[in-house]
Amino acid sequence: MVRMLAPLVVAAFACQEVEQPLGDAPLTGEGGAATEDGGAAGSTGGTVGGAEDGGSSGELGDGGEPPNPDVRFVVVGPIDPASTTPRAGVKYSTDWIGADINGSVLAGFSASADTDSDFTTGVRFLWTPEAGTTRLPYSAPAVGMYAPSRLSGDGKSLFGEVMNIEAIPNGIQFGPVSFYRWTEETGDVPFGPSEPMWNGQIDFVSADGSAALGSVELQADVEAGDGHSRWFRWTESRGFELLTTLGWPARAGCSAVSEDFATMAGYGDDGKGFLWLAPDRVLPLTGIPEFPYCSASSISHDGSIAFGGCHDESSEGVTAFRWTEETGMVSLDVPSVVSATGDGRLAFGTDGEALYRWSATAGSTRLEPPVDWVMGRAYWLELVLGSLSDDGSTIYGQLSVTAGAALEPEQSSFRWSEADGFVRLDALPGHDESWIQGQSSDGSVQVGSSRLRRSASDAVLWDCGGVRDIGRELREGGAELSGVHLSWASQVWTGSTLMIAGSGEAGGNRVAWIAWLPARC
């Protein structure tokens, strides 16, 4: 029997940050939280760990001031959970799992395969400009490995799963046995159902870390052949509660929540959705008779407004809707809603051929991509949840265009803004694909990757001046990348200097990195 990890758990972690000057203190081994002496964030020297021969890594450079103080670079990973240096023959994979809203706290996770067993293990970490990389307590797999999955918006609470891993006659059994919340004040505080778990994950965390929402499969249900997920809520005041004890329909999933978790959207096995309003009120989304199958995809911060989509019996007829307590469900002249502003003032959707923008003052507007982008060929526009800027002025997406006899469509990213309309986010010279991963909260800068199809990708950003090669600009600005190839960027924060976080490769290991570049517009 093999139990699978919860879908949002990426294995386990270990890390090392290399930045100059680092000081001479050795890394702390297994045990309590340990802070690596990070010095001034983002200087340029250092050699990245993870050499091909698996030898000693993480050697420090000679430090010194970077030629351009606005161009800085930090690499995180690898480090072994039980050793001060990476071990020979071990592969490491370090990833960011979240950040606070200001980019002042980043959480990560670096997995390593244990050569002495069949287990994958690792250590959680936090990164801050003041302290550099802080390794959180590590537990051996047999004790319970703490894998992180969500960081609160204020950067003070880290949530995740406690993973149990053990060998059994027919393979390896591993999966979460409980959940946890970590804060600097409390350390790890486990929580979960009173009955044994089979699987589970945390899907939503409140901005202040006082509440979490997720799903769990109970071992008794699985053994009885009924392994459906049960949704739960955890709060500081009430602890762990299955939502069914609060009036939540059995076997129903959750698709959206308000900031205080007092309004939540759910959906049942029958494809019909509902809204749950604290403390225990359930409102079926059945206000549009000709479209009986409805579900909400977005809820305003205060829970007073919800957006979603409906379809008819054939699934060919579709419409979006907006709900308030006063109006109930109101059909919109939009086929779907993917993202909406936190105040419910603006919403965007797509039918694959065009974008649709809805506003409370102007109603719906159809937005078609420029003709010369597609040249009469078949194409598909895609938006993702979270692609809308905070003020609703900018949204990004992906454009796929049929490329004649080619098996794979042409891929390019785009943004749409009130000021500029559709703007193609071009690939780097010599490349033919661009892929977007995220954008700044104000929508002025996007980040992602560029590549020649089926080849390695390069991390890029896009601003008002077009595409920028992050690795090249770092090198030209005097930053020493120490053999790191910057594969893609996933997060960005704006100001007079841009702060970018992403993933890369060094010596056969995956590493996480942070870069700072001057803003040019």
Side-chain angles (χ1 to χ4, degrees), residues 171-301:
I172 299 172
Q173 178 170 287
F174 57 103
V177 294
S178 68
F179 305 100
Y180 72 86
R181 176 198 185 215
W182 177 94
T183 69
E184 189 173 2
E185 293 76 20
T186 65
D188 289 303
V189 178
F191 64 87
S194 57
E195 302 176 58
M197 287 173 53
W198 179 264
N199 207 341
Q201 64 188 44
I202 294 175
D203 294 271
F204 303 96
V205 170
S206 64
D208 63 0
S210 65
L213 192 72
S215 61
V216 61
E217 291 180 55
L218 300 179
Q219 185 171 323
D221 290 341
V222 173
E223 292 176 349
D226 185 20
H228 67 282
S229 294
R230 299 171 181 257
W231 280 77
F232 69 85
R233 182 181 69 178
W234 174 90
T235 60
E236 282 184 313
S237 59
R238 297 171 62 96
F240 181 93
E241 299 173 294
L242 290 174
L243 292 186
T244 50
T245 66
L246 305 173
W248 190 267
R251 298 180 176 273
C254 183
S255 56
V257 299
S258 62
E259 280 193 340
D260 61 0
F261 288 20
T263 303
M264 300 189 290
Y267 55 90
D269 289 344
D270 58 1
K272 296 182 178 181
F274 59 89
L275 294 175
W276 178 92
L277 281 69
D280 56 9
R281 188 155 59 111
V282 175
L283 300 178
L285 293 174
T286 56
I288 307 177
E290 60 268 37
F291 297 100
Y293 300 96
C294 301
S295 61
S297 57
S298 179
I299 295 177
S300 62
H301 292 328

Side-chain angles (χ1 to χ4, degrees), residues 39-124:
S43 58
T44 59
T47 300
V48 174
E52 290 286 350
D53 61 3
S56 177
S57 58
E59 297 177 3
L60 309 182
D62 58 5
E65 290 298 320
N68 184 345
D70 290 332
V71 178
R72 294 172 284 160
F73 181 71
V74 168
V75 61
V76 181
I79 193 173
D80 193 272
S83 172
T84 57
T85 57
R87 288 173 292 163
V90 177
K91 293 296 183 182
Y92 300 87
S93 180
T94 306
D95 295 277
W96 301 117
I97 63 100
D100 72 345
I101 59 174
N102 299 315
S104 58
V105 181
L106 280 73
F109 193 71
S110 183
S112 58
D114 189 336
T115 56
D116 298 326
S117 70
D118 295 320
F119 299 144
T120 296
T121 185
V123 177
R124 306 163 292 169

Side-chain angles (χ1 to χ4, degrees), residues 450-464:
S450 169
R451 70 173 187 174
L452 186 63
R453 187 177 303 182
R454 299 182 182 177
S455 64
S457 61
D458 294 304
V460 296
L461 67 86
W462 297 272
D463 59 15
C464 63

